[in-house]
């Protein structure tokens, strides 16, 4: 090895693979009618044209396939692009749809991992070792959706945890950490970071914590930042749920 | 069995190198053969704090590249013959370090030394990552202020997920908190986080508190680790830390504003 590294005239490395995580909107489709999709997409994007302009989007076919619709991926991507969005992946597709997408050079993402980053398994281990085994062993989506992820060690600043079902954390969640779950989030300690429950649209999801000092709380996309939290709910056990699109934060009164 | 200790913090200027020098000296003075490695390639400082800057011939990068043997690069400390220093290279940057190379050097050191102290550079990039990657124990050096505490928290997350022990699913790195530049008077005035505040945020085992002290700067300038200044409060605090790390049960001091009390009991030594 020593002789190897002694060679000095070597082309310096000009590339490097890095793991990174992006937040990308997911477009969940519930119909195969392209005309309707086009019209509704137009309505949505016109609400925030700057936000949607050239925005990457991942297409989610789970709902379509559940309802037994068939959709032409080629025509669909055309429609999406016409609306100013750039499809960068699909998920929840069947074999045929996945094949079609790959022919269009559109990547296929796994349904299990809510994050759409292109991490390989090894890197995933590095980021959140806790959930790695779960993502690996589960083949059945339905079973996975109800699985609970239990974490006993502290979630430190900069760490991200994603749970496909409920997420139960026994240690503290530090400021600068982010915990996300498709189901409920329970933190039996101090919550200082960001907590996002029902990240795939489950508005029934709730957040429970022993000591609320969060930077951000969100349920199904409805969020509140720390500054918006009333002093009366801080530093105590609370539950957070959604009622008429509004986040309700309520004390949990512990029995004596 | 040799143990690798990383002294890390995330944030710069909190006292990593001062701590590395002090605990390495402390361990050696207790009779354990100890090596201390400067991982701050390009910003070499440890040799100055240890007072051996005039005796640097080869450095860590030379050893990694096979341009010098470990024995050629290790500098024996002038105060303690059980302590050796492996200086960083000043003319290179962190990219000169490779995981494989660092692993090889540490493996070789483990054959001969009881403790290997890795002085991490600031940040969470390559140099800091390699300094902690092979560690068995981590001394997380934190100042009692919010940005230092948050950076330490980030570093703890990296220790728990990106180290060799984490990747191999071995027993996790043992983490210890060292609170440095602590001033009880300023805590009382509300200008500084208290020990309790920091522990509340980091929930970490406190190994010791080092008081803000003139003796640290004096020691740095004269190139003698502050632990050798047994009259100084900082020197005594580091002495306590080494003793506690080695399993001795010593009560915490320098946490409360009790100047008179300490002068009475410890000042006359």
């Amino acid at each position: 090895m020593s002789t190897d590294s002694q060679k000095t005239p070597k082309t310096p490395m000009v590339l490097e693979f890095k793991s990174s995580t992006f937040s990308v909107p997911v477009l969940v489709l519930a119909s195969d009618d392209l005309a309707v999709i086009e019209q509704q997409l137009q309505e949505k994007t016109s609400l925030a044209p700057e936000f949607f302009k050239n925005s990457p989007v991942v297409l989610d076919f789970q709902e379509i396939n559940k309802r037994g619709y068939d959709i032409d991926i080629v025509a669909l991507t055309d429609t999406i692009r016409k609306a100013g969005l750039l499809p960068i992946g699909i998920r929840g597709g069947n074999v045929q749809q996945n094949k079609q997408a790959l022919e269009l050079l559109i990547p296929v993402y796994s349904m299990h991992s809510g994050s759409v980053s292109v991490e390989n398994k090894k890197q995933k281990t590095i980021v959140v070792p806790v959930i790695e085994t779960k993502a690996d062993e589960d083949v059945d989506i339905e079973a996975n959706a109800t699985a609970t992820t239990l974490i006993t060690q502290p979630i430190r600043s900069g760490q991200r945890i994603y749970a496909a079902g409920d997420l139960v954390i026994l240690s503290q969640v530090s400021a600068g950490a982010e915990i996300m779950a498709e189901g409920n989030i329970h933190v039996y300690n101090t919550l200082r970071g960001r907590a996002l429950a029902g990240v795939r649209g489950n508005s029934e999801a709730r957040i429970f914590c022993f000591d609320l000092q969060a930077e951000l709380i969100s349920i199904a996309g409805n969020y509140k930042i720390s500054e918006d939290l009333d002093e009366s709910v801080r530093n105590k056990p609370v539950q957070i749920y959604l009622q008429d699109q509004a986040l309700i934060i309520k004390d949990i009164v512990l029995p004596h | 069995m040799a143990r690798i200790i990383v002294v890390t913090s995330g944030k710069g200027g909190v006292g990593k190198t001062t701590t590395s020098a002090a605990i390495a000296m402390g361990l050696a003075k207790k009779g354990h053969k100890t090596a201390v490695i400067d991982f701050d390639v390009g910003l070499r400082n440890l040799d100055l704090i240890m007072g051996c800057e005039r005796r640097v011939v080869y450095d860590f990068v030379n050893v990694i590249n096979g341009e010098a043997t470990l024995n050629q690069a290790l500098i024996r400390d002038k105060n303690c013959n059980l302590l050796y220093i492996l200086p960083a290279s000043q003319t290179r940057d962190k990219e000169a370090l490779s995981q494989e190379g660092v692993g090889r050097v540490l493996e070789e050191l483990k054959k001969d030394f009881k403790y290997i102290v890795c002085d991490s550079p600031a940040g969470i990039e390559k140099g800091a990552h390699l300094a902690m990657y092979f560690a068995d124990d981590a001394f997380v050096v934190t100042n009692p202020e919010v940005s230092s505490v948050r950076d330490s928290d980030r570093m703890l997350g990296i220790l728990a997920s990106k180290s060799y022990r984490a990747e191999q699913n071995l027993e996790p790195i043992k983490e210890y908190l060292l609170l440095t530049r602590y001033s009880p008077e300023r805590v009382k005035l509300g200008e500084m986080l208290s020990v309790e505040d920091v522990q509340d945020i980091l929930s970490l085992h406190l190994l010791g508190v080092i008081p803000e002290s003139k003796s640290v700067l004096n020691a740095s300038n004269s190139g003698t680790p502050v632990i050798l200044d047994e009259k100084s409060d900082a020197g005594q605090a580091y002495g306590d830390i080494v003793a506690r790390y080695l399993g001795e049960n010593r009560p915490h001091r320098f946490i409360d504003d009790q100047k008179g009390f300490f002068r009475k009991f410890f000042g006359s030594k």
Side-chain angles (χ1 to χ4, degrees), chain A residues 212-230:
Chain A
L212 180 68
Q213 301 180 29
E215 294 173 322
L216 180 145
I217 45 169
S218 163
I219 291 172
N222 299 273
Y223 69 91
K224 256 190 185 166
I225 54 173
S226 178
E227 211 172 69
D228 300 337
L229 294 181
D230 200 85

Side-chain angles (χ1 to χ4, degrees), chain A residues 30-191:
Chain A
S31 162
D32 59 350
D33 188 335
L34 288 177
V36 177
I37 291 174
E38 185 170 8
Q39 189 215 333
Q40 292 190 359
L41 204 53
Q42 210 71 56
E43 285 168 17
K44 286 269 183 206
T45 54
S46 65
L47 293 175
E50 277 309 307
F51 176 77
F52 284 110
K53 194 176 166 193
N54 295 331
S55 164
V57 64
V58 171
L59 308 175
D60 187 323
F61 295 123
Q62 201 187 18
E63 203 53 44
I64 286 195
N65 291 332
K66 214 186 264 175
R67 299 183 188 189
Y69 295 138
D70 194 30
I71 196 157
D72 180 5
I73 308 266
V74 182
L76 174 68
T77 47
D78 272 349
T79 308
I80 307 281
R81 289 201 176 109
K82 236 188 278 170
L85 297 166
L86 302 172
I88 58 153
I90 69 162
R91 67 177 192 186
N94 58 30
V95 179
Q96 178 67 21
Q97 289 160 342
N98 289 352
K99 190 168 160 264
Q100 265 190 306
L102 286 174
E103 278 167 9
L104 291 167
L105 302 179
I106 295 177
V108 175
Y109 293 108
S110 145
M111 201 62 207
H112 310 300
S113 157
S115 99
V116 288
S117 59
V118 202
E119 295 166 329
N120 65 28
K121 272 182 212 154
K122 186 158 183 268
Q123 282 165 323
K124 208 176 260 169
T125 324
I126 297 170
V127 183
V128 272
V130 208
I131 63 166
E132 197 261 342
T133 46
K134 281 235 141 55
D136 259 359
E137 70 201 13
D138 279 310
V139 189
D140 184 8
I141 294 167
E142 293 302 314
N144 193 23
T146 54
T148 298
T149 305
L150 173 71
I151 292 174
T152 52
Q153 76 240 43
I155 314 295
R156 300 291 185 182
S157 186
Q159 287 187 306
R160 305 180 82 209
I161 300 292
Y162 188 96
D166 283 3
L167 178 59
V168 178
I169 297 175
L170 300 180
S171 295
Q172 60 167 359
V173 178
S174 293
E178 192 168 59
I179 53 172
M180 288 172 285
E182 291 173 19
N184 305 301
I185 291 178
H186 303 251
V187 180
Y188 294 103
N189 210 310
T190 309
L191 170 60

